[in-house]
């Protein structure tokens, strides 16, 4: 018989067992997309804001582009000045002396350099952008940030080199003591904006395309060579007009030639920065069209082109890491 002594014994309750975490193998884990897809028509501005948030990183990438380009080089940044000077010397001798253009076009050296100044910036941007994603494959596969920063860093480094090369042109003005007329100097910033927009849009597409088709690098080299001779840099535009319009009545083909954005940009640089065109001898080589209107159209088209190129780049970048 049990006797109640006034005390009770509390029986402990069973506590639920703590679940044991089971580590899922990495191969069996679901993929998580880092950059969420955005609508094609409305994704540009969120990306632009994200690029602005990473502006400090963009500055560091620009510095890296400038340093890596001439790494372990004895002359370093002096190559930025020597390369256009060597081009100028070769073309001045071959075209100006042997073919006689220097006897016809006044201050032929300055005329050449104004065109080479614009063209060098264009080729630096396109050539650098094409290999920008492939060349930074390690970062692309490990860290997330807007991939557009790589081509934009190339554009920034190209602008720095452009400013350094412009010092040579200023030095030529001082040596010859001939200066361009201030009335057309507004063409320079307009032409520079048009060039950067057009080259940036094309560079974004080439950078993304080169990830999937590495032959694009070699196609760009060949294309730029052909493009160079379709632009009035080492010859004057009047020779094209005489050959196509006066001799063969191919006016439509001449208009196609003038539709080349780089032709208009180079013509603008020549009109604004070539003092020889102010002389009576140089007047026939001035393009008499409305370059302000033409550059305005190129800038507007360039803005749309950059938007379109970024949206194409955004569509393709999801497979960059897999392809690299």
């Amino acid at each position: 018989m049990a006797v109640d002594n006034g005390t009770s014994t509390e029986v402990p309750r069973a506590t639920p067992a703590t679940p044991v975490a089971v580590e899922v193998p990495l191969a069996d884990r679901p993929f998580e997309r880092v950059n969420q897809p955005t609508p094609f028509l409305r994704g540009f501005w969120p990306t632009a804001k994200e690029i602005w948030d990473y502006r400090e990183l963009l500055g560091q990438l620009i510095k890296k582009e400038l340093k890596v380009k001439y790494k372990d080089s004895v002359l370093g940044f002096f190559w930025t000045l020597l390369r256009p000077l060597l081009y100028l010397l070769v073309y001045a001798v071959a075209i100006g002396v042997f073919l006689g253009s220097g006897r016809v076009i006044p201050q032929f050296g300055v005329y050449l350099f104004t065109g080479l100044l614009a063209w060098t910036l264009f080729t630096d941007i396109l050539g650098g952008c094409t290999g920008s994603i492939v060349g930074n494959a390690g970062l692309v596969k490990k860290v997330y940030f807007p991939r557009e920063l790589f081509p934009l860093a190339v554009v920034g480094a190209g602008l720095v080199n452009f400013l350094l090369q412009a010092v040579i042109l200023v030095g030529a003005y001082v040596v010859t003591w001939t200066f361009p007329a201030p009335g057309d100097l507004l063409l320079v910033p307009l032409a520079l904006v048009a060039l950067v927009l057009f080259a940036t849009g094309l560079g974004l597409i080439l950078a993304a395309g080169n990830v999937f088709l590495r032959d694009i690098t070699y196609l760009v080299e060949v294309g730029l060579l052909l493009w160079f001779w379709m632009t009035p840099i080492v010859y004057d535009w009047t020779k094209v007009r005489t050959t196509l319009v006066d001799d063969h009545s191919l006016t439509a083909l001449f208009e196609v030639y003038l539709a080349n954005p780089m032709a208009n940009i180079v013509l603008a640089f020549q009109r604004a920065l070539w003092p020889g065109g102010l002389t009576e001898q140089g007047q026939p080589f001035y393009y008499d069209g409305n370059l302000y209107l033409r550059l305005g159209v190129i800038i507007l088209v360039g803005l749309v082109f950059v938007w379109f190129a970024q949206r194409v780049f955004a569509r393709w970048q999801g497979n960059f890491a897999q392809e690299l």
Side-chain angles (χ1 to χ4, degrees), residues 162 184-194 268-269 272-273 292 295:
F162 172 85
D184 286 324
L185 288 180
L186 182 60
L187 286 172
V188 175
L190 289 177
L192 189 58
V193 171
F269 269 78
L273 300 176
Y292 289 95
L295 291 177

Side-chain angles (χ1 to χ4, degrees), residues 169-179:
L169 188 59
V170 175
Y173 295 152
V174 174
V175 171
T176 60
W177 205 248
T178 55
F179 300 90

Side-chain angles (χ1 to χ4, degrees), residues 76-93:
F77 281 103
F78 283 104
W79 282 113
T80 302
L81 307 179
L82 287 176
R83 188 179 62 169
L85 282 176
L86 290 175
Y87 285 152
L88 175 63
L89 178 62
V90 171
Y91 290 131
V93 173

Side-chain angles (χ1 to χ4, degrees), residues 113-123 162 195 262 265-266 269:
F113 195 80
T114 53
L116 288 174
L117 189 64
W119 183 258
T120 302
L121 175 59
F122 182 64
T123 55
F162 172 85
L195 189 157
M262 283 307 299
I265 291 168
V266 167
F269 269 78

Side-chain angles (χ1 to χ4, degrees), residues 106-178:
Q107 299 184 23
F108 184 67
V110 178
Y111 173 86
L112 267 178
F113 195 80
T114 53
L116 288 174
L117 189 64
W119 183 258
T120 302
L121 175 59
F122 182 64
T123 55
D124 283 350
I125 292 177
L126 286 194
C129 284
T130 301
S132 60
I133 302 298
V134 175
N136 292 280
L139 289 175
V140 172
K141 292 187 289 186
K142 293 179 181 178
V143 185
Y144 171 74
F145 50 83
R147 305 307 187 215
E148 291 87 349
L149 293 183
F150 293 118
L152 291 178
V154 173
V155 176
L159 287 173
V160 173
N161 291 330
F162 172 85
L163 294 177
L164 292 175
Q165 293 166 6
V167 175
I168 299 177
L169 188 59
V170 175
Y173 295 152
V174 174
V175 171
T176 60
W177 205 248
T178 55

